[in-house]
Amino acid sequence: MIQDILQHQEGGVLTLTFNRVDRKNSINVAMYEVLANAFEQGAQDSATRVVVLQGHETVFSAGNDIDDFLRNKPAGKDSPVFRFLRGIATFPKPVIAAVCGPAVGVGTTMLFHCDLVYAGDNAAFSMPFVNLGLCPEAASSLLVPRMFGMHRAAEALLLGEPFFAEAALEVGLANRVVAPAECNALARAQAIKLAAKPLASLMTTKQLMKGSQQEAVLRQMDEEGAHFGRMLGEPAAREAMTAFMEKRKPDFKNL
């Protein structure tokens, strides 16, 4: 069976590749488990100096696998999805993402915890949580307003409509926009540069840059998680998920 998350370790760089292109790299609970373990182990492993997250040049990730998500709803802070989000948020070493094509939901919010993000010119970012009867996660309700400004954050989080590579570059979510065929290679080249630098300097610099924001991010994740779990069982989310599975537009007029 083809692995849905490929792991490749070379020269101090751990590359994690979403490899479920037939399902638009949507993430299921087993994939979250692999990601969570990789970040937890990579934080302690001296052979891992940099982590790269990448997908295919046509798609980064469509976010949660809705069907799997409904069958395996997160059950507390120790569930794989929350372990992954805490792991990437607190990872002490550099994290680089190469993003091409759609990056939906957690496919976008995980990027706020990366240190460098390179985007293909076909990248399309979206955080449609409200459209699913839910609320933001991964501390995006804190980090998006800080990065985008309040009005652009409201557009991204309340309307949930896609924004594209040049807009991501403008607000600081992306470092550079390149052709999709070049994106993963660019991320790899930058990771090799970082891996050649003194690890203690990289880690201390990252810690200083994050500063007190780290505690605020984890608090926000906890608050979002409590609301998210509650809202999953409410009528708006049930209608949104049912409509998604039935391939129709949800009807929220009485909700």
Side-chain angles (χ1 to χ4, degrees), residues 43-89:
Q44 304 300 322
D45 181 10
S46 61
T48 299
R49 301 170 71 88
V50 184
V51 170
V52 173
L53 283 167
Q54 64 183 28
H56 189 265
E57 63 184 53
T58 63
V59 59
F60 181 66
S61 174
N64 285 317
D65 180 320
I66 297 295
D67 183 53
D68 180 82
F69 192 71
L70 292 175
R71 287 186 284 107
N72 299 285
K73 293 179 182 178
K77 293 182 181 181
D78 291 330
S79 62
V81 59
F82 290 126
R83 284 178 49 223
F84 163 62
L85 293 177
R86 282 200 311 274
I88 192 172

Side-chain angles (χ1 to χ4, degrees), residues 1 5 26 31 40 46 51 77 79 83 87 92 107 149 180-181 189 208 232:
M1 185 176 65
I5 301 286
S26 58
M31 294 166 71
E40 289 168 2
S46 61
V51 170
K77 293 182 181 181
S79 62
R83 284 178 49 223
L208 289 168
L232 265 177

Side-chain angles (χ1 to χ4, degrees), residues 91 93-97 111 113-117 175 206 209-210:
F91 195 69
K93 305 169 189 178
V95 182
I96 301 176
L111 304 176
H113 304 287
C114 296
D115 301 294
L116 298 168
V117 176
N175 292 86
K206 178 169 178 172
M209 286 195 298
K210 288 207 166 189

Side-chain angles (χ1 to χ4, degrees), residues 1 70 99 123 140 172 239:
M1 185 176 65
L70 292 175
V99 183
S140 54
E239 166 60 17

Side-chain angles (χ1 to χ4, degrees), residues 131-153:
N131 302 341
L132 294 171
L134 299 170
C135 68
E137 36 87 309
S140 54
S141 59
L142 172 70
L143 298 174
V144 175
R146 287 187 178 183
M147 180 179 286
F148 289 18
M150 190 58 70
H151 290 164
R152 286 185 176 181

